[in-house]
Amino acid sequence: MSIQCLKKYGIIGGAALALYAAAAPASASAVDFSGKKIEIIVPFKEGGGTSVYSRLFEPFMRKALPGNPAIVVQHVPGGATIRGNNRFEAQAKPDGLTLAAVSTSSMVSALFGGKKARFNMLKWRPVIVSPLGTIIYVRSDTGFTGKDVVADTKLLRGMELKFGAKAPIAGELRASITYDLLGLNVKTVFGLSRGAARKATMRGELPLGYDSAGSYVKKVTRYVKDGTVKPYYTLGYLKGGKVVRDPAFPDVPTFPEVYEKTNGKKPSGPGWEAWKSFLNMGVMASKGFSLPKGTPDAIVNVYVDAFKAILADKAFQKKARGSLGAYPQSFGADAAEIYKNSLALSPEAKTWFKNWIQTNFQTDVTIN
């Protein structure tokens, strides 16, 4: 995989985004936010990925929404997004004046937050969902070549590998489950942010690493170029219900491809179904904005139209270059379907998840 290819697919494309404006229907609503203030609740501290995502859109929302309302980003950190999301659930009115900034972490808290998570994201009204791919990489000094996934996987199955994660119940589960399903012997070192884990991999302390597409392109490709690490697989991208190659990494195999080649059959069963929920949470629903439950369709449609117009704005495209990646965005009903595929697990998948987490991390969880 060439660095040129990564750069080519790692930036937002003006031509691709222009189609959103052409596809945006004229709103039948007389919604007007003149003189109003719209609050975006970000359930994280300032400066994180969801904060950056919100502030990327903030100045353009004022121009795109009818009446040019003031836009205020309000950070409400705490409880792994639970505090901010609980506040949104309890206080946001269905009048279009409050948005929740949603991320993979929000989804994880919705699923595993138990009684503390007093919010139901399946009833929210998402207006935009921004996917972002995930790529797994391995240090070359393990003997990993990146040329033959069957031979490389056989090599890795004979080793004890280390992987860094923030906590047992976090977004890293989307990668950890694939390691287990592939039969890798991986010991997870907890308490590491993604940045700290990446640095440990480059220092040779952790042979196994992963990153989102944006971080990989910006912070890992130079180590690919000098031979320190090599890409293994991506989690893939969902299209028409099927896992296909990640648009940002079309020459890197997906996890299902590696599984099939190394096991002689396609992945299936409750573990596979549980992992697909994390594929939706961790890739398809990486970031986004949602209105509260009960918001009328007219207001939802106004927001959908506004975000399509923003994505087609050349000034926004220039500012967002390298941030959103080469991924189609989802809106309205399509975004709601991604929420459903992330959080509406079957009883069998929930049981598998609970047992898997207990066995691997000695942690009891309640799955909502």
Side-chain angles (χ1 to χ4, degrees):
M1 179 180 58
S2 69
I3 302 301
Q4 288 75 18
C5 180
L6 288 170
K7 289 180 178 178
K8 174 182 177 183
Y9 286 93
I11 61 173
I12 197 164
L17 292 180
L19 63 88
Y20 292 128
S27 174
S29 169
V31 175
D32 186 358
F33 294 124
S34 296
K36 303 291 186 179
K37 179 178 72 174
I38 293 174
E39 182 181 55
I40 301 174
I41 294 180
V42 179
F44 297 95
K45 294 180 180 178
E46 190 168 358
T50 307
S51 174
V52 172
Y53 179 85
S54 299
R55 294 194 181 280
L56 173 66
F57 281 97
E58 174 194 358
F60 296 91
M61 288 172 62
R62 177 181 176 87
K63 182 172 68 172
L65 287 168
N68 307 123
I71 310 294
V72 178
V73 176
Q74 182 68 36
H75 294 86
V76 187
T81 79
I82 289 176
R83 181 168 174 257
N85 289 328
N86 282 348
R87 171 177 158 178
F88 178 76
E89 178 84 9
Q91 299 179 11
K93 298 178 181 179
D95 54 9
L97 298 182
T98 311
L99 281 173
V102 179
S103 73
T104 298
S105 295
S106 301
M107 296 275 182
V108 173
S109 291
L111 193 61
F112 295 105
K115 293 181 180 180
K116 292 181 180 180
R118 298 186 300 274
F119 58 95
N120 186 349
M121 292 181 66
L122 289 174
K123 292 186 177 181
W124 291 4
R125 303 297 310 274
V127 291
I128 183 173
V129 164
S130 299
L132 191 62
T134 295
I135 186 165
I136 313 297
Y137 50 90
V138 184
R139 283 190 60 89
S140 301
D141 57 14
T142 61
F144 185 91
T145 68
K147 297 178 180 179
D148 183 337
V149 293
V150 175
D152 281 334
T153 301
K154 183 178 180 180
L155 171 76
L156 295 178
R157 283 172 175 167
M159 299 179 174
E160 181 178 279
L161 303 167
K162 290 183 179 180
F163 171 70
K166 187 182 301 182
I169 309 303
E172 286 91 350
L173 279 173
R174 65 187 184 269
S176 296
I177 295 171
T178 66
Y179 306 151
D180 188 71
L181 293 178
L182 284 174
L184 305 184
N185 180 16
V186 177
K187 178 182 178 181
T188 305
V189 180
F190 294 113
L192 297 178
S193 67
R194 183 72 352 237
R198 184 188 310 112
K199 290 177 181 178
T201 297
M202 301 316 163
R203 289 195 302 264
E205 298 165 7
L206 301 174
L208 196 60
Y210 97 99
D211 266 298
S212 66
S215 295
Y216 183 85
V217 170
K218 294 176 182 177
K219 300 177 182 180
V220 179
T221 52
R222 66 178 180 269
Y223 295 103
V224 175
K225 188 175 181 180
D226 70 16
T228 301
V229 298
K230 296 183 185 299
Y232 188 5
Y233 57 85
T234 72
L235 298 191
Y237 179 86
L238 280 168
K239 185 176 182 180
K242 296 182 179 180
V243 182
V244 300
R245 293 269 176 119
D246 190 306
F249 309 102
D251 53 348
V252 178
T254 66
F255 157 65
E257 289 179 77
V258 174
Y259 183 96
E260 185 172 0
K261 286 183 178 180
T262 55
N263 291 282
K265 60 181 180 180
K266 295 182 178 181
S268 61
W272 166 244
E273 295 302 319
W275 175 75
K276 282 200 294 185
S277 75
F278 258 86
L279 174 61
N280 276 281
M281 280 188 270
V283 173
M284 305 309 295
S286 177
K287 297 287 186 292
F289 294 115
S290 184
L291 291 161
K293 63 184 179 182
T295 302
D297 288 346
I299 294 177
V300 173
N301 292 338
V302 163
Y303 269 93
V304 169
D305 290 355
F307 278 108
K308 288 179 177 179
I310 290 170
L311 288 164
D313 187 314
K314 290 185 178 180
F316 177 83
Q317 291 174 20
K318 182 177 180 180
K319 187 175 181 180
R321 187 172 290 117
S323 298
L324 297 185
Y327 301 95
Q329 310 292 292
S330 296
F331 306 94
D334 291 336
E337 186 68 16
I338 292 173
Y339 277 32
K340 180 181 177 181
N341 292 337
S342 298
L343 301 172
L345 273 67
S346 69
E348 294 79 10
K350 286 184 177 182
T351 298
W352 184 92
F353 243 144
K354 183 177 179 66
N355 292 339
W356 185 86
I357 291 170
Q358 173 60 47
T359 299
N360 286 274
F361 302 138
Q362 292 73 55
T363 300
D364 288 319
V365 294
T366 299
I367 301 178
N368 296 330

